[in-house]
Amino acid sequence: MTPMYQGRPSRLFRNLNAKIASIPMILTALVIFVGGTAWTVFYSFTNSKLLPRASFVGLEQYERLWATPRWLTAVENIAIYGVCTLVFSLVIGFLLAALMDQKIRFENTFRTIFLYPFALSFIVTGLAWQWILNPNFGIQQVVRNLGWTSFTFDPLYDADIVIYGILIAGLWQGTGLIMCLMLAGLRGIDADIWKAARVDGIPTWKTYVFIVIPMMRPVLVTTLVIIASGIVKVYDLVVAQTSGGPGIASEVPAKYVYNYMFLAQNLGQGFAASTMMLLSVVIVVVPWAYLEFGGKRRHG
Amino acid sequence: MTSVVVKDVSLSFGAYDVLKELNLDVPEGEFLVLLGPSGCGKSTLLNCIAGLLDVSDGQIFIKGKNVTWEEPKDRGIGMVFQSYALYPQMTVEGNLSFGLKTAGMAKDEIARRIARAAEILQIEPLLKRKPAALSGGQRQRVAIGRALVRDVDVFLFDEPLSNLDAKLRSELRVEIKRLHQKLANTMIYVTHDQIEAMTLADRIAVMRGGVIQQLDAPQVIYNRPVNRFVAGFLGSPGMNFLDGEIEGGAEPAFAIAGAKIPLDRYGFDAVAAPGKAVLGIRPEHIALGDVARAMPFSADAGVELVEPMGSDTLVWTKLGGQGFAFRVEAERHLASGDQLRIGFDPARASLFDGQSGNRI
Amino acid sequence: MTSVVVKDVSLSFGAYDVLKELNLDVPEGEFLVLLGPSGCGKSTLLNCIAGLLDVSDGQIFIKGKNVTWEEPKDRGIGMVFQSYALYPQMTVEGNLSFGLKTAGMAKDEIARRIARAAEILQIEPLLKRKPAALSGGQRQRVAIGRALVRDVDVFLFDEPLSNLDAKLRSELRVEIKRLHQKLANTMIYVTHDQIEAMTLADRIAVMRGGVIQQLDAPQVIYNRPVNRFVAGFLGSPGMNFLDGEIEGGAEPAFAIAGAKIPLDRYGFDAVAAPGKAVLGIRPEHIALGDVARAMPFSADAGVELVEPMGSDTLVWTKLGGQGFAFRVEAERHLASGDQLRIGFDPARASLFDGQSGNRI
Amino acid sequence: MAAVAPAASSAGGLVGPSGPRPRRTFSRRNIFIYGTLFVVAIYYLLPLYVMVVTSLKGMPEIRFGNIFSPPVEITFEPWVKAWSTACTGLNCDGLSRGFWNSVRITVPSVFLSIAIASVNGYALANWRFKGAEVFFTVLVVGAFIPYQVMLYPIVIVLREIGLYGSLWGLVLVHTIFGMPILTLLFRNYFASLPEELFKAARVDGAGFWTIYLRIMLPMSLPIFVVAIILQVTGIWNDFLFGVVYTKPDTYPMTVQLNNIVNAVQGVKEYNVNMAATLLTGLVPLVIYFVSGKLFVRGIAAGAVKG
Amino acid sequence: TDLEVTHWWTSGGEAAAVAELAKAFDATGNKWIDGAIAGSGDIARPIMISRITGGDPMGATQFNHGRQAEELVQAGLMRDFTELAEKEGWTKFIHPKSLLDGCTLDGKIYCVPVNIHSQQWLWLSNKAFADAGVAVPKNWDEFVAAAPALEKAGVVPLAIGQQPWQTTLAFQVILVALAGPETFQKVFGDKDATLAAGAEMAKVFAAADQARNMSAKSNVQEWNQATSLVINGKAGGQIMGDWAQGEFQVAGQVAGKDYTCLPGLGVNEIISTGGDAFYFPKQTDPEKAKAQEALASVMLSPATQVAFNLKKGSLPVRGDVDLNAANDCMKKGLEILAKGNIIPAPDQLMSADGVTQVNDLFVEFFANKELSAADAQKRFAEIIAAAD
Ligand SMILES: Nc1ncnc2c1ncn2[C@@H]1O[C@H](COP(=O)(O)OP(=O)(O)OP(=O)(O)O)[C@@H](O)[C@H]1O
Ligand SMILES: Nc1ncnc2c1ncn2[C@@H]1O[C@H](COP(=O)(O)OP(=O)(O)OP(=O)(O)O)[C@@H](O)[C@H]1O
Ligand SMILES: [Mg+2]
Ligand SMILES: [Mg+2]
């Protein structure tokens, strides 16, 4: 007995609820992220000033962008800040996590101490560190009062190192979370691996470097995403700490974008800078996102 | 000469005592299996011997040397884990050589040892692969190799085959046995698979709740378990247990509902005090039909359920109202509802005290 | 009447075809076991029947109704998973009633059904507990109960016993068998444990790479496997395979190094073309000593390894230079190095084509 | 020979070490570990310490003392001022007004963003449909886009749907920008739950929402804690959206903070600024101190299984 | 009717001045809802613009006089006040005329100027010079000459805040003072790049170089912090607009006695007539629209002008009000105004884009000692050439 073949019902209506529930996500992705991005790119080829205007000027905005010292400084800064943040966050975060993983006492206390800055906004972070790094009141003055009168530590007022002054605050705010992620990653590693390494007589540091860290790939990926997305966005911190100063020494791209869009009332220029930022994000992120979420594997 | 001695070792996690004054002597070259249910402390004991856990009390000797406070790498032991614990980002060769390199061994000596281990374990073609590209059995071989290259006196295995499927498990079981015959090292092997325990062990230590219940050769443990726990733990299909009462007197017998099993042929360990007891008899020791009738004890029984297992068949009946299984050859065709005569020789049975569960 | 019909079902994940035009008819009341190695598509097939995966092609009928595009709940099936999949935050009662409540069933009917299922599965005392407070066996019983209360036509089991230890596994196996006898529902049961397959099944479907290799009664599959894969997959200890050559002529024989096995008693399926072939014989079909000598084929062999397994003993020897194992009773005391005569009846053997592996 | 080796097995006194390995409390390893942790802890605590100490000092003391010295004379004046009397323009009610605005903004934003993201994550993990991953990838890439870039397009979107300047407009913005990372977290978490649970529920006849509400939600406490913490701190701390998409009578606390800190009247009143800063950070700080442990657990569940 | 007014007047003197506006407006029976956004126009303006373009406009908002709101007006988002202006006769009393020009587009008036701010002032601390033992300078050159003495006494010669607009302001002031108003007009108004690259301007850049050296040790952010350095005698002087006056006033200092002011750096007594103006975004609610008119009238009423500008330290936009209460410096300003020595503010001449670029250049110039005056001039000329 073979009953009649029934046609396959429409694909569209299978799992209809799931599709309905995904509408916010789809709208956000399409309207805001794709639409907003396309809109931005579109107007970056115009000479829009205060209001978007579709009068095209070709690549003029880009030519001007790459001839502007302020933009170049911003790019250089974000490069330094980005690389340093990446390296130091990972290194410090990992070292702290490794220390915390030694079955220490007061683990909760230490963890809370390392994590609490994450609860504070960049505005607050920036203000606090601006205060501490202020040469007239802060560390420099305190050390001088202790007798080392020639001691100089005023990163926020020295154009050459100001970006590192910002880095100090940025790391303070962000490493706690990285530490937490790493700790979770470390705890997720099979205890047998540690035992095997001990039986093999491999010293702790070697076990970490050659065995454990390579095994933490998934955590490292997550961490990298979090750090990287933070780097691109760095803005509040700079504004709160230095307003881009001294001079334009601590400019960052996000600030350039904001300033040109709203202060200079040159949307076209701001959009051109945005587009450059987006482009770099896309170059870095899309291949990764594709590998990570691009279908085939079920559990990301 | 004893190879591993565990002396009065206790271990507690906080207030929870996992091992309780445990003693164990393992002669050189012996294959000792630690068998017991989950959570009984097998792995803990193995980790103590390996030095991966600090004992709370007691001492551990390996080759006559007190190693209680030694680091694992200085104890002359190698260990193989259930989860293989291979270093995933190194090749097989890297896995094998990493410990040796760290110890600063000469290159050619390392190469020699790896070659030997690879040959013994037949993993030569795999040396350049990463663990992810290996099957479970191959991984476990590499894990064994990692212990092998270290040229140790004592091998410790913690359920090395539990993650493998049945077929691979029986293959690797044979290989481990051969390896032992070849190397003649001391091996301590944790498992909760009793077939593994029976086939591999020179002696089995059956553990329960951190205490060794019985330590003896497999056949002894199988045939003369010291208590009901050991009896029930070994054997698959499991031993049949019949609750009843021992009747003393001139002709001691074991009484169950509707039947009396004569115990004159039973070799008592202790004095057979009359009272509640449990009689255990293994399914393969039960005879059918005419053979059964010739046995010191026999009774009629109806077939309730037939479980063909391929090589043989398990038949479930009731004896004195209690579930009772026996094994017949696969060729014997029985069906639910069949009536037949079953019997056994009480000399092959085990009697346990009703209260303590100890063998009588 | 057929209960479940799988017609030309294919399923692919992306470019990877898991099921390939699979056909299967399950008569009403049958206990069908899907057996096969890991990754062969057993769970996938079960999920297709349950409606948890959309087929790429083909149709599925349950009770004569085309359910290919029905929701799982409308197919009249109940499913039991390896990991129990109990809702952790609900009590046992909540777990049992969840589906019924979702369907909007009347309160007293729900209570009645739960009471019945609880009685059948003997989980009455557990009804108020949460799954976390249950043992593995109890959890699996609840999981079965969840299918039971739904009063379905077809039960689907996906390795329900794999997470349990050996003892519990054999107990629950018997219970499931009894349940089937009582309910007489259609049951489709996935496992890779061949003992389970052999004992439970009315018919076994042995799968490999998304294709059913053989679908037949357990004894047929065990004794007359259609190909070498099926032969090797069933039986523990596994079948012995001897590589050799068929010599045709008046007296067909199977030649291995140093011996010739007469094939006149062998029931050929196909024409015995001379050429490379593989002879398979199960360890329990091998006789020793005088019995062996009486067999159509016998040879001398040296014992290499003895594996006592409690109830019986596995002995490894070599035949024609190839590894060869046979089973003897536990009482038989053999040791490595012993010489003895082994023999078997070729009628009980299986012959496979050297190339295709198919039975000849 | 036998006399040497089994010294132990022969009954007799203890030979050599026995019992647990001796552990010195002040081993070099411990000194290193705790020393490092301690030093690092100081780095992390320093700003908080400075803020607290400064907020308790009077202006003269700040001008002449050093920032690390504890206050000679503790005064709560700056706190009072920051909370209730500090001026911005004509408004002299400090942070107090902003506090309630922040609450009014944060609560619905957190609720809505988590509700939407968790459903999204659930749909992605369990009800995959064609194209879902593509949208999701776009969404995740969106997490990298600087907010400044999106400011203008969103102004337009809000204007078009008529929500600009209303509280709901701001809630919507927070929901949108919270979506990428939250959806990722929830998706990973739900994917890590046993899939069979979901299948069992489907066989039981539960639909999309029933499974979500009855099966998934009760099992997701850790990840909800993480999401709530992330969102509460993120939204509470937000300045940019708060200032751009609201108006003065609904300004959140951070905007008030910025106003107080930047509305310099002669000398900077550092003590008031610090008090205001601390007051603003208080809510997220308390949340962290209270639920830090759950946070770490949830992070492990949602983030690590990438 | 409630009317929300946004502005960025949050420093002490400014806030006091706003209070006067609010008081006067409230007196008309309406209510002033204060929407102050702290941190200078740089922070506030984007917010204001977003709100106007976002369709949720405030009742009135401050902008700098000039071209900042040009496009908003063009887009039809701003209210046209021509009618009211004609009725009240703004053209008659608003002085100088150029103020209203800045509000006019295509012959229609879109904003209400409320004050005149001149930038060209050098504020000097009498105390600082006394401490250093030198006389209070009377012009730029004397000031430069006194710098070493000040430095020796531990006083920062010139205080300049770090915000971009402050350094630009300093430069423009130096430009007008040293090169004269014609050059200024040509460079900023006519975008004469040749002149910008010429010798006249080189002088200005040299002076700017001196200014940057003198301000090297001044590390404050806000302009009023810099002013506060001057008030406290920690800095010798500050180049800042007349709004700095408000701070001196709040600190209770008296012009001439505690501090000295030099319009046009004491070289060219010329002031620019920039200032603040209020714009009124279009409202749908007629009640609000009425209130807007009331506010516009109130802002220009003589009483408010006096009260407001006294507090703010700026000059009134009406030529016909009595400013007896004005102090020394303010009077100086009024005199210059009366003489007509005025120039338009750069905001009026150049688009925000151009201003920002110039800002950027000078911020960099002041912060980066490596950037020579000649190089800076070259880049300046390029910006001027490209500006519109
Ligand atoms: N680090 C620990 N802290 C506290 N208890 C522990 C720890 N490790 C093990 N235990 C407990 O000690 C007991 C013995 O554990 P052990 O791992 O030795 O059991 P096992 O016999 O190896 O069991 P299995 O067969 O499941 O591996 C268990 O009850 C376990 O819960
Ligand atoms: N969602 C999926 N996406 C891609 N491939 C899958 C998916 N699910 C299963 N597979 C693949 O399909 C094949 C069959 O899987 P299935 O789970 O049916 O195997 P199985 O026979 O049940 O194995 P096991 O005994 O291990 O449960 C496997 O190779 C598996 O990798
Ligand atoms: Mg264990
Ligand atoms: Mg499966």
Side-chain angles (χ1 to χ4, degrees), chain E residues 268-289:
Chain E
N268 255 323
E269 295 218 335
I270 287 175
I271 56 175
S272 61
T273 54
D276 299 296
F278 276 85
Y279 285 78
F280 297 81
K282 276 194 181 142
Q283 294 284 346
T284 42
D285 183 358
E287 286 292 306
K288 288 243 155 93

Side-chain angles (χ1 to χ4, degrees), chain C residues 122-150:
Chain C
Q122 300 174 359
I123 48 173
E124 287 113 330
L126 312 177
L127 285 179
K128 296 289 170 221
R129 292 210 213 150
K130 294 239 173 129
L134 302 180
S135 74
Q138 292 171 330
R139 283 181 210 186
Q140 200 51 286
R141 252 176 242 162
V142 175
I144 295 173
R146 204 164 49 181
L148 209 56
V149 290
R150 298 189 57 242

Side-chain angles (χ1 to χ4, degrees), chain D residues 236-247:
Chain D
W236 189 274
N237 286 333
D238 159 72
F239 170 75
L240 192 64
F241 298 143
V243 78
V244 173
Y245 300 120
T246 54
K247 41 184 146 187

Side-chain angles (χ1 to χ4, degrees), chain E residues 282-305:
Chain E
K282 276 194 181 142
Q283 294 284 346
T284 42
D285 183 358
E287 286 292 306
K288 288 243 155 93
K290 267 219 324 264
Q292 285 180 328
E293 282 173 27
L295 181 57
S297 308
V298 154
M299 280 175 168
L300 285 175
S301 75
T304 324
Q305 277 290 315

Side-chain angles (χ1 to χ4, degrees), chain A residues 72-88:
Chain A
L72 298 177
T73 312
V75 170
E76 186 189 330
N77 277 339
I78 200 74
I80 296 176
Y81 179 85
V83 170
C84 291
T85 305
L86 212 59
V87 171
F88 285 110

Side-chain angles (χ1 to χ4, degrees), chain C residues 106-126:
Chain C
K107 275 245 165 76
D108 50 348
E109 172 66 8
I110 294 180
R112 210 186 50 71
R113 290 207 187 177
I114 290 180
R116 175 170 159 268
E119 199 218 306
I120 293 178
L121 297 164
Q122 300 174 359
I123 48 173
E124 287 113 330
L126 312 177

